[in-house]
Amino acid sequence: MKLTEIQELIKFVVKSGASEVTYEIKGLKLTIKTPGKNGGEQQQIIMHAPMQVAAPTVSVPVEKKSPAKKQESAPVADDSKFITIKSPMIGTFYRSSAPDKPAFVNVGDEIKKGQTICIIEAMKLFNEIESEFSGKIVKVLVEDTTPVEYDQPLFLVEPN
Amino acid sequence: MKTIFIGKNCIEVEKTDSTNSYLSRLMGEKTLFEGTVVITNRQEQGRGQRGATWESEPNKNLTLSILLQPNFLRPDEQFQLNKAISLGVMEFVQNSLFIENRNVRVKWPNDIYIGNKKVAGILIENSVSGNSLQHSIIGIGINVNQEKFSAKLPNPTSLKIEAGKEFNLKECLAQLCSCIENRYLELRANHFPLLDNDYLKNLYRFDEWADYNYKEKRFKAKIVGITKLGKLMLETEKEKIMECDFKEVEFLKSGFVANQ
């Protein structure tokens, strides 16, 4: 069975709303479990290969329902020395503590581990995001006061 | 204080800009126990949601902040913390009133209402490192003995207005800490379904037809639930369900939307 065929099958099962489907063809048994309507973002696929081959468990991430990521500028791919700081949650990205306050960090600033670099607000809960390492801000990847997704790159940092 | 940890270390300051800011600064200077409370009789720049203010007449009300360390929660579970705190504050308000006027509710996400009037507000500020909550500063403002409010506030009330008597602020603080601690311990014990259920049961306008403004459109809808991330689920008359973000939706007074 081709990978594209498996992908098609997963899409079909997800669309159908079924929570579990088992599909058997030519000695290959494929079980697709979906987390249900309100579940997470991953569909688990368990493949049972015949005979002595150990059954591998494959997790295939399926596209999120949420709108496309708004990424102002893509991380520089060729510069592997940079680290991206990603959003730990869904919410609204703020660069300052209040509308009339200066930004926590700007391009070129040296940051320390534990330093607050932005705020992400979700349902009126305010989260000060701390940097997990020291370095220099190379790029701010998201506009102030715009929505961010989980895992969306926020800053590009050159670590010390 | 009959609590285990909330309010055991209680720092009283004569006046400050905001108790949340004060507590945050203090944390930069020394290690503080979980449950530390900062309280003032005169909060001069009380903060509400981003850019908004919390006004409180000196010596009349409760304005305080509590330090918590809910590092057992992931960042995406933080609305559970909001539920626990909101229920705790709501229960303190309920206990302060006579049984016959206990029409106390949590207005999503975390205001406390008596009838259609606001008696308390909450401002939660977390710090997040990697994939865990480090600490939370829970700012709480409760109108206790204040009787006159600025004309620009849409619908304020106080415990004194509702109960018709003066309250002792020290006793109120002890009661409040106890109510919040009870709910916080439930959160720590992972009683999420209990918190979910109680939050919905006590939610202002839950399962009632009312008027809303969502993304600049006015319509009738009823609250049918809260998503895991804390979004408000509104069902319209056409049985369409919408998941609303805090900034996208406004609760309107009745009469804004004509009956159809």
Side-chain angles (χ1 to χ4, degrees):
Chain A
M1 198 169 185
K2 282 183 205 154
L3 188 63
T4 51
E5 290 177 305
I6 296 175
Q7 283 170 342
E8 280 305 311
L9 195 61
I10 293 166
K11 277 184 197 160
F12 177 74
V13 173
V14 171
K15 249 187 175 174
S16 77
S19 60
E20 188 176 339
V21 168
T22 303
Y23 181 72
E24 226 171 335
I25 182 169
K26 291 174 192 166
L28 177 78
K29 191 174 168 190
L30 197 63
T31 305
I32 301 172
K33 285 182 186 173
T34 67
K37 280 179 190 167
N38 306 315
E41 295 144 10
Q42 288 200 335
Q43 274 63 43
Q44 196 186 21
I45 295 99
I46 301 159
M47 291 175 81
H48 300 283
M51 294 179 296
Q52 70 269 48
V53 186
T57 302
V58 191
S59 271
V60 180
V62 170
E63 238 182 299
K64 287 182 194 172
K65 272 186 279 177
S66 43
K69 283 183 184 181
K70 281 180 195 161
Q71 207 169 306
E72 309 295 320
S73 51
V76 185
D78 56 321
D79 247 326
S80 53
K81 64 177 179 177
F82 297 152
I83 299 180
T84 48
I85 297 178
K86 293 175 177 177
S87 177
M89 54 192 292
I90 298 170
T92 305
F93 173 83
Y94 292 111
R95 290 188 58 189
S96 63
S97 63
D100 55 346
K101 295 276 159 65
F104 291 110
V105 291
N106 289 299
V107 171
D109 286 359
E110 292 287 340
I111 55 164
K112 289 197 181 81
K113 187 181 176 208
Q115 186 178 334
T116 300
I117 47 173
C118 65
I119 283 177
I120 294 176
E121 177 264 335
M123 302 311 135
K124 211 181 146 189
L125 308 181
F126 293 85
N127 297 275
E128 293 189 343
I129 310 300
E130 295 177 2
S131 177
E132 288 181 277
F133 44 83
S134 305
K136 195 165 110 182
I137 300 281
V138 176
K139 207 163 193 175
V140 182
L141 302 167
V142 181
E143 284 284 331
D144 191 26
T145 75
T146 56
V148 288
E149 292 292 332
Y150 173 73
D151 233 16
Q152 181 173 342
L154 304 174
F155 296 94
L156 204 57
V157 176
E158 184 179 359
N160 287 345
Chain B
M1 207 66 75
K2 287 179 187 165
T3 51
I4 302 165
F5 65 103
I6 293 183
K8 284 290 177 190
N9 180 25
C10 186
I11 301 162
E12 292 177 42
V13 287
E14 198 189 310
K15 64 172 186 177
T16 185
D17 50 351
S18 126
T19 54
N20 269 29
S21 305
Y22 186 95
L23 184 51
S24 174
R25 288 193 297 267
L26 201 59
M27 286 181 64
E29 293 163 17
K30 56 180 179 182
T31 309
L32 296 171
F33 292 114
E34 180 170 28
T36 294
V37 166
V38 169
I39 185 161
T40 187
N41 278 320
R42 190 184 284 264
Q43 179 170 246
E44 298 182 324
Q45 293 169 51
R47 292 183 283 122
Q49 52 171 297
R50 201 174 167 83
T53 55
W54 181 265
E55 288 173 29
S56 178
E57 201 179 311
N59 306 309
K60 297 260 171 139
N61 305 312
L62 286 176
T63 46
L64 65 144
S65 297
I66 305 170
L67 172 65
L68 295 175
Q69 280 156 346
N71 42 27
F72 51 91
L73 292 176
R74 293 193 311 265
D76 66 347
E77 289 175 326
Q78 61 181 272
F79 203 77
Q80 293 294 337
L81 173 67
N82 180 60
K83 286 179 183 172
I85 302 298
S86 303
L87 286 168
V89 178
M90 184 205 75
E91 277 151 0
F92 158 73
V93 172
Q94 259 172 1
N95 296 345
S96 308
L97 299 176
F98 297 113
I99 290 167
E100 58 268 26
N101 59 9
R102 281 186 179 174
N103 186 17
V104 186
R105 295 277 180 273
V106 177
K107 182 194 172 239
W108 176 83
N110 56 18
D111 286 335
I112 308 302
Y113 270 38
I114 303 174
N116 289 311
K117 293 180 172 176
K118 179 168 169 174
V119 68
I122 297 167
L123 175 66
I124 298 181
E125 296 181 295
N126 301 317
S127 84
V128 178
S129 179
N131 208 24
S132 68
L133 287 177
Q134 299 294 302
H135 61 254
S136 293
I137 294 179
I138 315 290
I140 301 168
I142 305 176
N143 299 328
V144 181
N145 292 322
Q146 186 167 340
E147 290 174 285
K148 286 178 184 158
F149 292 91
S150 151
K152 66 186 178 190
L153 294 174
N155 55 345
T157 191
S158 68
L159 293 182
K160 187 175 182 181
I161 291 172
E162 300 295 328
K165 64 169 178 133
E166 190 93 6
F167 287 82
N168 178 311
L169 291 176
K170 272 223 152 53
E171 285 168 21
C172 285
L173 175 65
Q175 290 296 325
L176 175 69
C177 289
S178 167
C179 288
I180 292 173
E181 186 173 278
N182 287 343
R183 287 297 184 174
Y184 186 66
L185 291 175
E186 286 175 359
L187 179 74
R188 280 186 79 128
N190 258 308
H191 292 323
F192 288 5
L194 174 75
L195 292 167
D196 293 344
N197 190 42
D198 288 354
Y199 185 82
L200 275 190
K201 207 166 71 186
N202 290 289
L203 195 59
Y204 176 71
R205 285 188 179 178
F206 179 68
D207 202 28
E208 287 171 27
W209 289 104
D211 298 348
Y212 295 89
N213 183 348
Y214 176 63
K215 293 186 173 172
E216 311 308 319
K217 276 186 192 150
R218 289 174 169 184
F219 54 83
K220 284 198 182 296
K222 61 179 179 182
I223 299 171
V224 292
I226 300 289
T227 70
K228 186 171 165 281
L229 292 172
K231 285 191 174 185
L232 186 72
M233 293 167 73
L234 287 180
E235 184 178 326
T236 65
E237 288 173 307
K238 288 171 185 163
E239 293 183 5
K240 191 179 156 202
I241 292 181
M242 286 166 306
E243 295 181 358
C244 313
D245 196 278
F246 174 64
K247 283 178 291 297
E248 297 169 340
V249 65
E250 183 191 354
F251 287 55
L252 299 173
K253 285 181 187 168
S254 62
F256 266 102
V257 179
N259 281 308
Q260 285 164 356

